[in-house]
Amino acid sequence: MRIGVLCSGGDSPGMNAAIRGAVLRGVEVHGFEMVGFMDGWRGFHEDDRVPLDRAAVRGISPLGGVILGTSRVQPFLSGRGDEADIQAIRDRVEEYGVDAFLLIGGNGTQTVAQLLTEHGIPAIGLPKTIDNDLSGTDYTFGFDTAVSIASEAIDRLRTTGDSHRRCMVLEVMGRDVGWIALHAGMAGGAQVTLVPEFPESIEQISEWVLSVRDRGRSSLVVVAEGFRLAGDEAQTTRDGLDGFGRKRLGGVAEVLAPLIEQRTGIETRATVLGHVQRGGSPTAFDRVLATRTGIAAADAAEAGQWGTMAGLRGDRIAMVPLAEAVGHLKTVPEARYEEARLNFG
Amino acid sequence: MRIGVLCSGGDSPGMNAAIRGAVLRGVEVHGFEMVGFMDGWRGFHEDDRVPLDRAAVRGISPLGGVILGTSRVQPFLSGRGDEADIQAIRDRVEEYGVDAFLLIGGNGTQTVAQLLTEHGIPAIGLPKTIDNDLSGTDYTFGFDTAVSIASEAIDRLRTTGDSHRRCMVLEVMGRDVGWIALHAGMAGGAQVTLVPEFPESIEQISEWVLSVRDRGRSSLVVVAEGFRLAGDEAQTTRDGLDGFGRKRLGGVAEVLAPLIEQRTGIETRATVLGHVQRGGSPTAFDRVLATRTGIAAADAAEAGQWGTMAGLRGDRIAMVPLAEAVGHLKTVPEARYEEARLNFG
Amino acid sequence: MRIGVLCSGGDSPGMNAAIRGAVLRGVEVHGFEMVGFMDGWRGFHEDDRVPLDRAAVRGISPLGGVILGTSRVQPFLSGRGDEADIQAIRDRVEEYGVDAFLLIGGNGTQTVAQLLTEHGIPAIGLPKTIDNDLSGTDYTFGFDTAVSIASEAIDRLRTTGDSHRRCMVLEVMGRDVGWIALHAGMAGGAQVTLVPEFPESIEQISEWVLSVRDRGRSSLVVVAEGFRLAGDEAQTTRDGLDGFGRKRLGGVAEVLAPLIEQRTGIETRATVLGHVQRGGSPTAFDRVLATRTGIAAADAAEAGQWGTMAGLRGDRIAMVPLAEAVGHLKTVPEARYEEARLNFG
Amino acid sequence: MRIGVLCSGGDSPGMNAAIRGAVLRGVEVHGFEMVGFMDGWRGFHEDDRVPLDRAAVRGISPLGGVILGTSRVQPFLSGRGDEADIQAIRDRVEEYGVDAFLLIGGNGTQTVAQLLTEHGIPAIGLPKTIDNDLSGTDYTFGFDTAVSIASEAIDRLRTTGDSHRRCMVLEVMGRDVGWIALHAGMAGGAQVTLVPEFPESIEQISEWVLSVRDRGRSSLVVVAEGFRLAGDEAQTTRDGLDGFGRKRLGGVAEVLAPLIEQRTGIETRATVLGHVQRGGSPTAFDRVLATRTGIAAADAAEAGQWGTMAGLRGDRIAMVPLAEAVGHLKTVPEARYEEARLNFG
């Protein structure tokens, strides 16, 4: 069996370990021939391929990024995913002699995996996103690394906040879901954690910050990039618009910080963590999770479990039907937000 | 309700976060009065108590060790756990006005929690061990930090091994189970991982090391302290005995390294990671897991779920009957060892 | 002798170690009485003092921030430093029974130390700035930690840049001097390093980025916040102005990134590292440098070497006359910039 | 000019950056042809060469170990360095068409560089040792990384020591000099620091440990591997002999720990850090120092400054005559040891 591997979407720490796990198991145990497409669907469209064998994946687990490259190039040339698009992929697949796909990506990529399988092009999904917003799995690889980096940033900012008696606002990734903010905030003991799922008013936020001051401490506010203020129909917080509706560079932290300072009288500073969260060497947790995901995907290919995704379920990797996994975001539930609020104010 | 908290056994990164989670939830939400006993059962026996409130747990999550101290002092004065021992504890409990216990510890401590509950002294367990050998929970806090440190050591040793073309042997903790070795070895891409559950012969190990050399690489061997060579009935590897049965300082790595060197002709060096694995600031993963464990334990106390333990089940914390959790070690199953062997040789 | 200690200006990793070194040597060896003023000159003006003894400095070297707090409150009430201002300080000094000062701060603070000494209020300076812009010392504590954090950020961003074939622009601190950018850029192998001392044109920068692309790599551009484009008299890069001269949030990286993308056609992303650079646990280098600085300052007080600053000279700490140290920034010399340019393009 | 590069002795973080600096400057600026010998003198003797150009050194600065490999193979076949040995090298040099050497190594290697130059084979030294024992330079690259790792280990061990009220003994590298112990101990606030230069008695050490206990703390003892107890003529501490003079595995920490426990009654545990100290990604400080060392060595080759070594002098790299640098160890002076003793007991 010849299996094609490609990565799609933003990079996520652990992608190399996932590829390595799949290749060692697939090639050495199951006897597959494996091939990687460079830069996701671009390499597929343009026939930019590399062989994947033991030598190709040597020593790559600790490395950030991904040896195959990744991109947001779409699989469907028309962008619609209609029959002509599928046929174009089918033609390529035959040309390359590829029997099946292992697709490493987020929600969009898993949807593609399902669609391809439905159209007779066998595919298995390896879920990957630092945002942890995929259903069908407890955690996705990349998330733990992102949380670690954000948590370390909180530890650093806190000392400056305490020394200067400032309120520090840290913006972390999370356009639609607040998992990184939630976990990093809990790990770092943030006094306020703001997530897209639960809008709060600036009055409430300021009250928390003042209450922390009254207890003799400085506030550390963690905010997910997708958070918006309660009642902010224009979404100016989230979209970083200035008063005239013009798009501003910078993010929600840079909108919040002056509002907090204005209402509390406490000097407040914003930091936008940005791309630093998604790069660099993965944590041990993500390396192990990714390696096992790759192994399980190779085993599922051997077993012909097409249309599934390798999800983490407790301490096991389980193959989950893609139909169950795709199409709805995994958001922060209220009970988890309540846990975080323990520390608020 | 007045609740006593104590830590028993070896320290494990995350204990402070667990205490903090239990106190914030217990005191602020449920209105408990909480008190900590210093140095585990020693503080209990000697009436060495501190109040646990919001101020007492301020900012402690990122700190290694545990603010209450811990020790291996036993709860039962006679060491047997008979009726007189229980009565002695009952007397103390009445004297202190303590209504229930939150006990943070490993397998032994969870057994005590069950026994106390059976004898009418309500207790809830918070599982803690870097070894990850407790049943009833996917992972225990402290384990992820230990794996991270061991994995970082592998990354460091590998560069020296490659530069000098040496075989590097790293001994990690794990007297009875190989979880740390298994995960750190997978994260670091160890060429050989040796765990107590699966004895291997020195011939087999040497063959793997030679096969790695033949592929042009240097071997990194991770070995759990409790590993012993196949056929080694005298357990000289595990117990670090010299040829005359005398106990040697140093560990199994220092026994293995010269054996490997002798059989392969490859210069081989041993490193024993030791106590470094269990100290210092916990990973974000362990801080979150421990905080949530503490919160769940406080909620269980409020709900009167005595005789249970706060276990991780997927992405939730579930209260597990202690009867299910204690008494049998969670060992590395063969399927997981097979995954690791992918990289062997 | 009773000695007052205070910290002024932005926080810098190592301040705690400096205080600890000065206190252990001053109190235990020289028999000083030592007192700390909270939040810099604010604590001095408002009589907010704490005793500094062995117990007060226990275990503080690894901690970020500073136990005394710091602020930008000025010593001179009128802001001019005239005779009335000096007299006000003299009155306070007599009231507090303080015989001399150890002043921990940057260029401004060292100038104050000199002025006080000239007016009969003995002072010794401990140079501190993450910017490393002080003359009279090889390096200031805090700088190595800032460089380490920036260098780690480069390592992380690079993997994302390589995976996506993007140009990544990282803005680091350095309003007037480019030391952090220079060292972090060299440590991380940045393809372009931009510092305030050496303006470059957008054409030149784009040419370097294209040349890196032609060699098959992705560019990592490090830019100090105070850099401005050559020929940019309006300083729009440095001051982050938009086209209408309005002050923008965000920094120079957010101005540069779209300019680079526009001219090269290469997707380009900006990251502003911000306050993360100045917080958290100091590197071992900074802890040692700061401790030794504190020790040397205490020894200089015992020896009556007022009007001096404890500077690093090779592997020794030397007391430098403040007159030599203050008043001129230490900027990046051309030879050092040439070294960095080795990697350009 | 064709220049040969080789590394000799133990690996030291920063060697890759040094090679990269020398190659970028040598090839791109001075137009040298450069060639690397694999595994030190082994590659020279066996004609195992690789070309060193821009592509060969791409992205290697953050990597631990060294791309060329290193070994303890001697340059002189007879081991004596007599005329026949020199002639053998001269023959090889002519055969390879090499005009000069850049030699990366410690004291022994620098001595060889001097000897070769004296015999008409031009050489320049790049000093490298984690031990920091070379004269003629403030610090050698690799030292800062080793100190960082040892300092982080102290931070970790301290939390376990405090939680269990144990005395923790950490053994770090330093067979002849105590620089790593001195700096790591100061960075970590060790209560006792033991170095080869200053023997102390077990009575004195135990007294310090008891005095720390009386202040309510737990002791952290850092000991260099070459330390020996005062009055220990048989050097049993240093050589790790048991009572019968037999060589034991393990190091001085494992001799000291039971002695301390026996005399103080305080539970005491030993950790031997070992090879972890010399591997892995270099600190930013070491990467910058090593890069600049390489650049300066290339410049010196262009300038014909043979028989010199690129030493750090303050914030500059200076070419030091090898005659001044070799032949005597740089040991810890008494004044530095006195600084460390501030914290003792």
Side-chain angles (χ1 to χ4, degrees):
Chain A
M1 183 152 53
R2 177 185 266 187
I3 292 187
V5 180
L6 65 79
C7 304
S8 192
D11 62 332
S12 192
M15 293 167 93
N16 281 327
I19 293 171
R20 182 169 166 279
V23 168
L24 288 182
R25 188 79 151 209
V27 172
E28 305 269 318
V29 176
H30 301 309
F32 300 159
E33 185 185 350
M34 296 181 77
V35 59
F37 295 99
M38 297 302 295
D39 306 333
W41 292 102
R42 186 201 64 74
F44 180 80
H45 295 319
E46 300 177 7
D47 196 3
D48 189 355
R49 282 179 284 170
V50 293
L52 288 176
D53 54 16
R54 185 169 202 128
V57 299
R58 169 179 161 166
I60 65 173
S61 288
L63 305 181
V66 57
I67 56 167
L68 293 179
T70 183
S71 73
R72 298 188 192 276
V73 170
Q74 294 302 308
F76 305 126
L77 298 173
S78 80
R80 288 184 305 267
D82 59 20
E83 184 49 41
D85 288 331
I86 299 284
Q87 189 55 46
I89 291 181
R90 200 177 280 123
D91 293 346
R92 282 285 185 187
V93 160
E94 276 172 31
E95 177 189 340
Y96 302 153
V98 164
D99 299 298
F101 278 111
L102 298 188
L103 297 180
I104 305 175
N107 198 49
T109 303
Q110 304 307 324
T111 307
V112 169
Q114 188 189 15
L115 197 67
L116 292 181
T117 305
E118 285 171 3
H119 286 78
I121 305 168
I124 286 168
L126 289 82
K128 162 237 63 150
T129 156
I130 61 164
D131 290 331
N132 196 39
D133 58 2
L134 268 167
S135 297
T137 183
D138 294 340
Y139 297 104
T140 47
F141 60 79
F143 173 63
D144 187 64
T145 304
V147 169
S148 293
I149 296 168
S151 167
E152 192 190 314
I154 293 175
D155 288 354
R156 294 200 175 278
L157 291 176
R158 184 176 289 294
T159 63
T160 291
D162 283 343
S163 295
H164 286 274
R165 307 189 192 288
R166 282 181 192 150
C167 173
M168 306 298 280
V169 181
L170 175 68
E171 178 176 328
V172 299
M173 284 187 168
R175 184 152 289 276
D176 300 306
V177 299
W179 288 108
I180 294 177
L182 186 83
H183 277 235
M186 181 172 272
Q191 273 82 16
V192 182
T193 300
L194 302 171
V195 296
E197 292 88 340
F198 300 94
E200 303 278 5
S201 69
I202 187 67
E203 289 77 16
Q204 174 64 78
I205 296 168
S206 302
E207 200 179 288
W208 282 323
V209 169
L210 285 170
S211 138
V212 170
R213 200 261 313 270
D214 293 346
R215 291 208 318 274
R217 293 208 74 185
S218 303
S219 283
L220 195 303
V221 178
V222 180
V223 56
E225 59 180 331
F227 170 80
R228 69 172 197 269
L229 285 171
D232 178 16
E233 284 77 16
Q235 302 206 4
T236 55
T237 25
R238 173 158 170 175
D239 296 336
L241 302 182
D242 66 11
F244 303 93
R246 289 171 307 204
K247 191 87 172 67
R248 278 187 33 264
L249 293 168
V252 59
E254 290 167 350
V255 175
L256 277 182
L259 293 176
I260 293 172
E261 179 163 324
Q262 184 185 334
R263 282 173 186 266
T264 62
I266 298 169
E267 199 181 11
T268 303
R269 296 289 167 86
T271 298
V272 181
L273 204 47
H275 288 279
V276 173
Q277 284 161 94
R278 70 181 326 131
S281 187
T283 59
F285 181 95
D286 275 340
R287 295 188 205 175
V288 170
L289 173 55
T291 304
R292 296 181 69 200
T293 298
I295 291 172
D299 287 350
E302 174 68 9
Q305 297 176 285
W306 311 115
T308 59
M309 181 183 91
L312 177 67
R313 295 295 200 187
D315 54 7
R316 294 178 312 110
I317 307 290
M319 298 311 298
V320 182
L322 279 163
E324 289 177 20
V326 301
H328 44 99
L329 287 177
K330 186 171 69 174
T331 54
V332 173
E334 187 155 8
R336 294 299 310 278
Y337 185 61
E338 281 308 311
E339 287 175 5
R341 284 181 70 151
L342 261 191
N343 205 39
F344 287 15
Chain B
M1 185 151 54
R2 179 186 264 188
I3 292 188
V5 180
L6 64 78
C7 304
S8 193
D11 62 331
S12 191
M15 293 168 93
N16 282 327
I19 293 171
R20 182 171 167 277
V23 168
L24 287 181
R25 189 78 152 209
V27 172
E28 306 267 316
V29 176
H30 301 310
F32 300 160
E33 186 186 348
M34 297 181 77
V35 58
F37 293 100
M38 297 302 295
D39 306 334
W41 293 103
R42 186 200 64 75
F44 180 80
H45 296 319
E46 300 177 5
D47 195 3
D48 189 354
R49 283 178 283 170
V50 291
L52 288 176
D53 54 16
R54 184 168 202 131
V57 299
R58 169 178 160 168
I60 65 173
S61 289
L63 305 181
V66 58
I67 56 167
L68 294 180
T70 183
S71 73
R72 299 189 192 274
V73 171
Q74 293 302 309
F76 304 126
L77 298 172
S78 81
R80 290 185 302 268
D82 57 20
E83 183 49 41
D85 288 331
I86 299 285
Q87 188 57 44
I89 291 182
R90 199 176 281 124
D91 293 346
R92 281 284 184 188
V93 160
E94 276 173 29
E95 178 190 339
Y96 302 153
V98 164
D99 299 298
F101 278 111
L102 299 188
L103 298 180
I104 305 176
N107 198 49
T109 304
Q110 304 307 323
T111 307
V112 169
Q114 189 189 13
L115 197 67
L116 292 180
T117 305
E118 285 171 359
H119 285 78
I121 304 169
I124 286 169
L126 289 82
K128 162 238 63 151
T129 157
I130 62 164
D131 290 331
N132 196 40
D133 58 4
L134 268 167
S135 298
T137 182
D138 294 340
Y139 297 104
T140 46
F141 60 80
F143 173 63
D144 187 65
T145 303
V147 169
S148 293
I149 295 168
S151 166
E152 192 191 313
I154 294 175
D155 288 354
R156 293 199 176 280
L157 291 177
R158 184 175 288 297
T159 63
T160 291
D162 284 343
S163 295
H164 286 273
R165 307 189 193 287
R166 283 181 191 150
C167 173
M168 305 298 279
V169 181
L170 176 68
E171 178 177 327
V172 299
M173 285 189 167
R175 184 151 288 277
D176 300 304
V177 298
W179 288 107
I180 294 177
L182 185 83
H183 277 237
M186 182 172 272
Q191 273 82 15
V192 181
T193 300
L194 302 172
V195 296
E197 292 88 341
F198 300 95
E200 303 278 5
S201 69
I202 188 65
E203 290 76 18
Q204 174 64 77
I205 296 168
S206 301
E207 199 179 290
W208 282 324
V209 169
L210 286 169
S211 138
V212 170
R213 200 260 313 273
D214 293 346
R215 293 208 316 274
R217 291 207 75 186
S218 304
S219 283
L220 195 304
V221 178
V222 180
V223 57
E225 56 179 333
F227 170 80
R228 68 171 197 268
L229 287 170
D232 178 16
E233 284 76 17
Q235 301 207 4
T236 55
T237 23
R238 173 158 170 176
D239 296 337
L241 303 181
D242 66 11
F244 303 93
R246 288 170 309 203
K247 191 87 172 68
R248 278 189 31 264
L249 293 168
V252 59
E254 290 168 349
V255 175
L256 277 182
L259 292 177
I260 294 173
E261 180 163 323
Q262 183 185 335
R263 282 174 185 266
T264 63
I266 298 169
E267 198 181 12
T268 303
R269 296 290 166 87
T271 298
V272 181
L273 204 47
H275 288 279
V276 173
Q277 285 161 93
R278 68 183 323 132
S281 188
T283 59
F285 181 95
D286 275 340
R287 295 188 205 175
V288 171
L289 173 55
T291 303
R292 295 182 69 200
T293 298
I295 290 172
D299 286 351
E302 173 68 10
Q305 296 175 284
W306 312 114
T308 60
M309 181 183 91
L312 177 68
R313 295 295 200 188
D315 54 8
R316 293 178 313 108
I317 306 291
M319 297 312 297
V320 182
L322 279 163
E324 289 177 21
V326 301
H328 44 99
L329 287 177
K330 186 171 69 174
T331 54
V332 173
E334 187 156 8
R336 293 299 308 278
Y337 186 60
E338 280 307 311
E339 287 176 5
R341 285 182 70 151
L342 261 190
N343 204 40
F344 287 14
Chain C
M1 183 152 54
R2 178 185 266 188
I3 292 188
V5 179
L6 65 78
C7 305
S8 192
D11 63 331
S12 192
M15 294 168 92
N16 281 327
I19 292 171
R20 181 171 166 278
V23 168
L24 287 181
R25 188 77 152 210
V27 171
E28 305 269 316
V29 176
H30 301 309
F32 300 159
E33 186 186 347
M34 297 182 76
V35 57
F37 294 99
M38 297 302 295
D39 306 333
W41 293 103
R42 186 200 64 74
F44 180 80
H45 296 318
E46 301 177 5
D47 195 4
D48 189 356
R49 283 178 283 170
V50 291
L52 288 176
D53 55 16
R54 186 170 201 128
V57 299
R58 169 179 161 168
I60 65 173
S61 289
L63 306 180
V66 58
I67 56 167
L68 294 180
T70 183
S71 72
R72 299 190 193 275
V73 170
Q74 293 302 309
F76 305 126
L77 298 172
S78 81
R80 289 185 303 270
D82 58 20
E83 183 50 38
D85 287 331
I86 299 285
Q87 188 57 44
I89 291 181
R90 199 176 281 125
D91 293 346
R92 282 283 185 189
V93 160
E94 277 173 28
E95 179 190 339
Y96 301 154
V98 164
D99 299 298
F101 278 111
L102 298 188
L103 298 180
I104 305 176
N107 199 48
T109 303
Q110 304 306 325
T111 307
V112 169
Q114 188 188 13
L115 197 66
L116 291 181
T117 305
E118 285 171 0
H119 285 78
I121 304 168
I124 286 169
L126 289 82
K128 163 237 61 152
T129 156
I130 62 165
D131 291 331
N132 196 39
D133 57 3
L134 268 166
S135 298
T137 183
D138 294 340
Y139 296 104
T140 47
F141 60 80
F143 173 63
D144 187 64
T145 304
V147 169
S148 293
I149 296 168
S151 166
E152 192 190 313
I154 293 175
D155 288 354
R156 292 199 177 280
L157 292 176
R158 184 176 289 296
T159 63
T160 290
D162 284 343
S163 295
H164 286 273
R165 307 191 191 287
R166 282 179 192 151
C167 173
M168 306 299 279
V169 181
L170 175 68
E171 178 176 329
V172 299
M173 285 188 168
R175 184 152 289 277
D176 299 304
V177 300
W179 288 107
I180 294 177
L182 185 84
H183 278 236
M186 181 172 273
Q191 273 82 16
V192 182
T193 300
L194 302 171
V195 295
E197 293 88 339
F198 300 95
E200 303 278 5
S201 69
I202 188 66
E203 289 77 17
Q204 173 65 75
I205 297 168
S206 302
E207 198 178 290
W208 283 324
V209 170
L210 286 169
S211 137
V212 170
R213 200 261 314 272
D214 293 346
R215 292 207 318 273
R217 292 208 74 186
S218 303
S219 282
L220 195 303
V221 178
V222 180
V223 56
E225 57 180 332
F227 170 80
R228 67 172 199 269
L229 286 170
D232 178 15
E233 283 77 16
Q235 302 207 4
T236 55
T237 24
R238 173 160 170 174
D239 297 336
L241 302 182
D242 67 11
F244 303 92
R246 287 169 310 202
K247 192 86 172 66
R248 277 189 33 264
L249 293 168
V252 59
E254 290 167 350
V255 175
L256 277 182
L259 292 176
I260 293 172
E261 179 162 323
Q262 184 185 334
R263 281 174 186 266
T264 62
I266 297 169
E267 198 180 12
T268 303
R269 296 291 167 87
T271 298
V272 181
L273 204 48
H275 288 279
V276 173
Q277 284 160 94
R278 69 183 323 131
S281 188
T283 59
F285 181 95
D286 275 340
R287 295 187 205 175
V288 171
L289 173 55
T291 304
R292 296 182 69 200
T293 298
I295 291 171
D299 287 350
E302 173 68 9
Q305 296 175 286
W306 311 115
T308 60
M309 182 184 89
L312 178 67
R313 297 293 201 188
D315 54 7
R316 294 179 313 109
I317 307 289
M319 298 312 298
V320 183
L322 279 163
E324 288 177 21
V326 300
H328 44 98
L329 287 177
K330 185 171 71 173
T331 54
V332 172
E334 188 155 7
R336 294 299 309 277
Y337 186 61
E338 280 307 311
E339 287 176 6
R341 284 182 70 151
L342 261 190
N343 204 39
F344 287 15
Chain D
M1 183 151 55
R2 177 185 266 189
I3 292 188
V5 180
L6 66 79
C7 304
S8 192
D11 62 332
S12 191
M15 293 168 92
N16 282 327
I19 293 171
R20 183 171 165 277
V23 168
L24 287 181
R25 187 80 151 209
V27 172
E28 305 269 317
V29 176
H30 301 309
F32 300 159
E33 186 185 350
M34 296 181 77
V35 59
F37 295 99
M38 297 302 295
D39 305 334
W41 292 103
R42 186 201 64 76
F44 180 80
H45 296 319
E46 300 177 6
D47 195 4
D48 189 355
R49 282 178 285 170
V50 292
L52 289 176
D53 54 16
R54 185 171 202 128
V57 299
R58 168 179 162 169
I60 64 173
S61 289
L63 305 180
V66 58
I67 56 167
L68 294 179
T70 182
S71 73
R72 300 191 191 274
V73 171
Q74 294 301 310
F76 305 126
L77 299 172
S78 80
R80 288 185 303 268
D82 58 19
E83 183 48 42
D85 288 331
I86 300 284
Q87 188 56 45
I89 291 181
R90 198 177 280 124
D91 293 346
R92 282 284 185 187
V93 160
E94 276 173 29
E95 177 189 341
Y96 301 154
V98 164
D99 299 298
F101 278 111
L102 298 188
L103 298 180
I104 305 175
N107 198 49
T109 304
Q110 305 305 325
T111 306
V112 168
Q114 189 189 13
L115 197 66
L116 292 180
T117 304
E118 285 172 2
H119 285 78
I121 305 169
I124 286 169
L126 289 83
K128 160 239 63 147
T129 157
I130 63 163
D131 290 331
N132 196 40
D133 58 2
L134 267 167
S135 297
T137 182
D138 294 340
Y139 298 103
T140 47
F141 60 80
F143 173 63
D144 187 65
T145 303
V147 169
S148 292
I149 296 167
S151 166
E152 192 190 313
I154 293 175
D155 288 354
R156 293 199 175 279
L157 292 177
R158 184 175 288 295
T159 64
T160 290
D162 284 342
S163 295
H164 287 273
R165 308 191 191 287
R166 282 180 191 150
C167 172
M168 306 298 280
V169 181
L170 176 68
E171 177 176 328
V172 299
M173 286 187 167
R175 184 152 288 277
D176 299 305
V177 300
W179 287 107
I180 294 177
L182 185 83
H183 277 236
M186 182 172 272
Q191 273 82 16
V192 181
T193 300
L194 302 171
V195 297
E197 292 89 339
F198 300 95
E200 303 279 5
S201 70
I202 187 65
E203 290 78 16
Q204 173 65 78
I205 296 169
S206 301
E207 199 179 290
W208 282 323
V209 170
L210 286 170
S211 137
V212 169
R213 200 261 312 272
D214 292 346
R215 291 208 318 274
R217 293 208 73 186
S218 304
S219 283
L220 195 304
V221 178
V222 180
V223 56
E225 57 180 332
F227 170 80
R228 70 171 196 271
L229 286 170
D232 178 15
E233 283 76 16
Q235 301 206 5
T236 55
T237 25
R238 174 159 169 174
D239 296 336
L241 303 182
D242 66 12
F244 303 93
R246 289 170 308 205
K247 192 86 170 67
R248 277 187 34 263
L249 293 168
V252 59
E254 290 168 349
V255 175
L256 277 182
L259 292 176
I260 293 173
E261 180 163 324
Q262 184 185 334
R263 283 175 185 264
T264 63
I266 298 169
E267 198 181 11
T268 304
R269 296 290 167 86
T271 298
V272 181
L273 205 47
H275 288 279
V276 173
Q277 285 161 93
R278 69 182 325 131
S281 187
T283 59
F285 181 94
D286 275 340
R287 297 189 204 174
V288 171
L289 173 55
T291 304
R292 296 181 68 200
T293 299
I295 291 172
D299 287 350
E302 173 69 8
Q305 296 176 283
W306 312 115
T308 60
M309 180 184 91
L312 177 68
R313 296 294 200 186
D315 55 8
R316 294 179 312 108
I317 306 290
M319 298 312 297
V320 182
L322 279 163
E324 290 177 19
V326 300
H328 44 99
L329 287 178
K330 185 171 69 173
T331 55
V332 173
E334 188 157 6
R336 293 300 309 278
Y337 186 61
E338 281 306 312
E339 286 176 7
R341 284 181 71 150
L342 261 190
N343 204 39
F344 286 16

